[in-house]
Amino acid sequence: SQELEQSPQSLIVQEGKNLTINCTSSKTLYGLYWYKQKYGEGLIFLMMLQKGGEEKSHEKITAKLDEKKQQSSLHITASQPSHAGIYLCGALPTGTASKLTFGTGTRLQVTL
Amino acid sequence: KAGVTQTPRYLIKTRGQQVTLSCSPISGHRSVSWYQQTPGQGLQFLFEYFSETQRNKGNFPGRFSGRQFSNSRSEMNVSTLELGDSALYLCASSLWGPNQPQHFGDGTRLSIL
């Protein structure tokens, strides 16, 4: 089965600093989701990457998919307290009948 | 457009009891997936339903079951509850399946005493 390892597990950054979260897959990545979760709440969809080399941005968050490295990175520029939460990557299944596998999660804290 | 609604938000049960959780997907979404989230195991897939049929199932014991109704609403049931079943149970819906962005509810926090 596919496993997704995220690094770092947790991160504390000062407001205004940039940061990067990585998601590495044990198998070929055909695509990837990035989600954000506030503690004890549901997941909020950030973006979906479907092609190798694809890069997407939403506000100050940019994500990129490197198929060859079986890896994706999520970069936050000029972090704000509103960015705090748990970031989860999810491997895109290869068919509608396949199941979604999530990474181990990265907990981000942004200090003032 | 209303989001995914899960009820109840919080539930406290004792060992040996059974519980039913409910999920109402976004209007028009036909795929509903259930996940269990715990600090130790992270987010784990339980099962996915599409048009009232279970299409995929995760590695959970038979005590965990679910169903989907003709209006796409879904329920999951856990029988003979164990302490280890304490978790946040999340439901997600999408138009056709997990290869499209899934929209999550806020979950049901189940505590077993």
Side-chain angles (χ1 to χ4, degrees), chain B residues 21-73:
Chain B
L21 311 182
S22 180
C23 173
S24 293
I26 290 173
S27 178
H29 285 191
R30 294 170 65 185
S31 168
V32 175
S33 296
W34 289 89
Y35 298 87
Q36 181 197 64
Q37 187 176 37
T38 59
Q41 299 297 318
L43 196 57
Q44 292 188 295
F45 172 79
L46 280 158
F47 26 67
E48 188 235 350
Y49 286 87
F50 181 84
S51 290
E52 302 179 65
T53 301
Q54 186 181 88
R55 278 201 301 200
N56 215 332
K57 191 177 189 302
N59 297 324
F60 279 82
R63 300 185 296 106
F64 291 81
S65 63
R67 58 178 177 168
Q68 186 180 35
F69 302 95
S70 58
N71 61 357
S72 293
R73 190 177 72 82

Side-chain angles (χ1 to χ4, degrees), chain A residues 3 6 10 17 23 42-44 51 57-58 61 76 79 83 94 103:
Chain A
E3 292 183 0
Q6 288 184 234
S10 65
K17 297 293 186 184
C23 174
L43 278 64
I44 300 168
K51 302 174 188 176
S57 294
H58 176 68
I61 301 176
I76 298 177
S79 59
H83 288 128
T94 55

Side-chain angles (χ1 to χ4, degrees), chain A residues 15-60:
Chain A
E15 184 179 5
K17 297 293 186 184
N18 303 336
L19 64 108
T20 299
I21 298 170
N22 293 306
C23 174
T24 303
S25 174
S26 61
K27 294 186 178 181
T28 302
L29 275 171
Y30 295 98
L32 194 95
Y33 294 116
W34 280 102
Y35 285 90
K36 177 187 173 185
Q37 183 181 29
K38 290 285 190 182
Y39 180 73
E41 297 181 5
L43 278 64
I44 300 168
F45 171 73
L46 294 175
M47 55 192 85
M48 179 171 73
L49 305 168
Q50 290 182 282
K51 302 174 188 176
E54 185 175 17
E55 184 172 310
K56 285 189 177 178
S57 294
H58 176 68
E59 296 179 342
K60 294 185 179 180

